[in-house]
Amino acid sequence: MKKSEAREEGRPPEVVLNIQEQEASTDEQQQQQPYPALAPVVFRCLEQTSKLRRWCLQMAHSTWLEYLSILMVLFSCVILCMNKPYEEQRTYLKILDSVVFAFFIVEMVIKMLALGVVGYFGNNWNTLDFLINFGEVLDFILARFSLRWKVFQAFRPMRMFDRIQILRVLVIVLIDTLPMLGHVLLIKILVIFIFSVVGIQMWAGHLHNRCFLGEDIPTTYNVSLRPYYISSWSEYSFICSPDNEDGMQRCSHVPPYSVDGQICTLDAPRHHHTSTANDSSGCINWNQYYNVCRAEGNNPRKGVICFDNIGCALITTAQLFTLEGWTEIMFYVADAHSIWSLPIFIVATIIGALIMMNMCAVVIATKFSEGMERKTEEPQVGAVSTAALFHKLMGHMRRIFCGDNRNTSRVMAGVMPWVRF
């Protein structure tokens, strides 16, 4: 059969047999390598049996290097916490920061020599580690030109994702949930848009309602008053309802004027002079003249809360779904429009803040359970099991505090007879 195939290809049978023998020998050599899954030669000169690469492979697959790497990540986080942005970095912090940076550079070089450039960048977590190191080098170069742009220092804790296997699995599962979360987000945007349109149709312009002076009181009585009522002791805007609406708050509900804690009850005198504005019998209640409700004021919270246009309504509804100040918005609308606006806000809050949020939680939980069942891959280079780290730490603690098992059993045998319950 092989001879007929060789005749058809125009090659002699001996050449075909030599090629097959060479391929078989190459496969045998790859199987005889210490790490068959890795490239036999990297950088065109470093074989797996060479002294330098063999040492790098041992280092890259050693657990103590990963434990030391985790310790360095935690140490770099401590250094970040000790930095003060408005002060010059202390000398010992600079030295420690340089030592940590040099360690991660050396670790990256060791893994490149062990895995090769293609094998190193074939792992996305190694690529993340390379980008963090490159960013820190860029920060160092910019610092030489007096550009203090230390943004990549904030990404140092992300190295922990590459070192601990369970964190790596968790991040992968969370990334897998993004498409489904995108669908939930689209539904939530549609719900926000629907309630925003309802708000524009029902409450556009109502949050501008304020209680204005019915007369020219400042000119008539030579007093300093605002054009419309603003509470001096409350941060909430006093929004009124005109006579043709069924709002909860009227201009007659404006609290009386007070001077030094004293509530004023007098009316303004008919004779227009200020000598009788405050006498021994009391003071004038100027707030009673804020008796005209007009839509000429500003929207609450410096114009952020409103339903005048689709952009402002979307922002207000999104804030409503976060439950941040949603009762304040609800009562603003109820004061200006009607008490029957309250059920609409309650329904919107239940749908947007409770149902949609729980839907996101259900998606994350479902994808997480599916992802954890699917993640049966073997640990890769640079991953440490948290359970293994915990058991090793507990083993060291037992040896330190308990000593040998025989001694422990002897001590317990001597102690137990004296124990009484």
Side-chain angles (χ1 to χ4, degrees):
M1 183 69 182
K2 295 180 181 178
K3 294 182 179 180
S4 61
E5 291 178 355
R7 290 172 183 172
E8 291 177 358
E9 294 178 357
R11 294 182 296 180
E14 293 79 4
V15 176
V16 176
L17 293 175
N18 291 333
I19 293 175
Q20 292 178 351
E21 290 177 357
Q22 291 177 0
E23 293 177 352
S25 62
T26 302
D27 295 336
E28 292 178 358
Q29 290 178 359
Q30 290 181 355
Q31 293 296 329
Q32 293 176 359
Q33 297 290 340
Y35 299 92
L38 302 179
V41 180
V42 297
F43 295 103
R44 298 184 180 181
C45 60
L46 292 177
E47 299 180 355
Q48 291 190 12
T49 55
S50 62
K51 186 176 181 179
L52 177 60
R53 193 182 178 199
R54 185 170 65 250
W55 179 82
C56 292
L57 285 169
Q58 293 175 357
M59 292 290 293
H61 288 82
S62 63
T63 56
W64 70 267
L65 178 63
E66 298 306 324
Y67 295 149
L68 182 60
S69 179
I70 293 173
L71 183 63
M72 284 294 179
V73 173
L74 297 176
F75 193 54
S76 65
C77 295
V78 173
I79 294 174
L80 286 177
C81 295
M82 296 177 66
N83 285 333
K84 296 181 179 179
Y86 298 105
E87 296 180 4
E88 184 69 21
Q89 192 177 24
R90 297 182 180 180
T91 305
Y92 72 93
L93 289 179
K94 291 181 179 179
I95 296 174
L96 295 176
D97 201 2
S98 301
V99 170
V100 173
F101 174 69
F103 172 81
F104 288 115
I105 293 295
V106 171
E107 182 193 28
M108 183 181 66
V109 173
I110 290 175
K111 289 184 178 181
M112 281 188 177
L113 292 176
L115 305 176
V117 176
V118 178
Y120 181 83
F121 288 103
N123 188 345
N124 294 329
W125 302 104
N126 290 335
T127 305
L128 175 63
D129 198 9
F130 173 80
L131 291 176
I132 295 174
N133 292 332
F134 176 77
E136 292 194 4
V137 172
L138 182 62
D139 289 340
F140 177 77
I141 295 174
L142 293 176
R144 293 297 179 181
F145 294 96
S146 300
L147 296 175
R148 302 292 179 180
W149 189 53
K150 298 182 179 180
V151 177
F152 289 94
Q153 289 185 356
F155 297 104
R156 288 180 180 179
M158 294 180 67
R159 290 192 176 105
M160 196 68 72
F161 297 149
D162 184 25
R163 271 70 184 179
I164 299 180
Q165 184 182 3
I166 187 62
L167 293 181
R168 178 185 297 181
V169 174
L170 289 175
V171 172
I172 293 175
V173 170
L174 288 177
I175 293 175
D176 291 340
T177 61
L178 291 179
M180 287 297 297
L181 288 178
H183 298 158
V184 177
L185 179 62
L186 180 60
I187 296 174
K188 190 168 185 177
I189 290 174
L190 292 176
V191 174
I192 291 175
F193 180 79
I194 291 172
F195 279 101
S196 300
V197 173
V198 172
I200 293 174
Q201 298 296 324
M202 296 183 63
W203 311 310
H206 283 75
L207 299 184
H208 291 278
N209 293 344
R210 298 294 186 276
C211 292
F212 285 81
L213 291 170
E215 304 175 17
D216 192 5
I217 300 296
T219 303
T220 305
Y221 293 95
N222 193 20
V223 292
S224 177
L225 294 176
R226 297 186 179 94
Y228 59 87
Y229 174 73
I230 298 176
S231 176
S232 59
W233 53 271
S234 177
E235 61 181 356
Y236 300 105
S237 301
F238 190 93
I239 298 178
C240 61
S241 176
D243 295 335
N244 58 348
E245 297 287 349
D246 297 327
M248 297 172 58
Q249 192 160 249
R250 305 285 180 176
C251 289
S252 58
H253 298 153
V254 174
Y257 190 79
S258 61
V259 177
D260 296 332
Q262 179 184 1
I263 297 177
C264 302
T265 58
L266 299 180
D267 297 333
R270 295 182 179 274
H271 300 285
H272 303 158
H273 55 85
T274 59
S275 60
T276 60
N278 296 307
D279 53 21
S280 59
S281 61
C283 55
I284 298 175
N285 180 17
W286 299 110
N287 289 349
Q288 64 180 324
Y289 298 102
Y290 291 108
N291 50 18
V292 178
C293 184
R294 296 199 303 265
E296 297 180 7
N298 298 323
N299 284 309
R301 297 297 181 185
K302 298 181 179 180
V304 176
I305 300 176
C306 71
F307 293 94
D308 298 341
N309 53 69
I310 188 62
C312 187
L314 288 173
I315 295 174
T316 305
T317 308
Q319 179 183 350
L320 186 72
F321 284 5
T322 61
L323 297 180
E324 182 66 28
W326 73 277
T327 55
E328 177 184 353
I329 301 172
M330 179 178 64
F331 283 111
Y332 278 154
V333 174
D335 290 340
H337 183 260
S338 174
I339 193 174
W340 298 109
S341 303
L342 299 182
I344 299 177
F345 280 89
I346 294 174
V347 171
T349 304
I350 293 175
I351 294 176
L354 301 181
I355 296 178
M356 290 298 170
M357 285 302 188
N358 290 331
M359 189 180 297
C360 293
V362 168
V363 169
I364 293 175
T366 304
K367 286 292 183 180
F368 180 79
S369 60
E370 294 177 356
M372 293 300 291
E373 293 176 358
R374 190 173 64 251
K375 295 300 178 183
T376 56
E377 59 182 2
E378 297 180 357
Q380 301 175 358
V381 178
V384 176
S385 174
T386 309
L389 182 62
F390 177 76
H391 288 306
K392 182 166 287 189
L393 179 61
M394 293 300 296
H396 288 300
M397 293 179 65
R398 290 194 190 97
R399 284 194 292 270
I400 292 174
F401 293 102
C402 298
D404 190 70
N405 293 331
R406 296 179 180 177
N407 296 331
T408 304
S409 61
R410 291 174 184 174
V411 172
M412 294 301 296
V415 171
M416 289 303 294
W418 297 94
V419 178
R420 296 290 185 272
F421 294 97

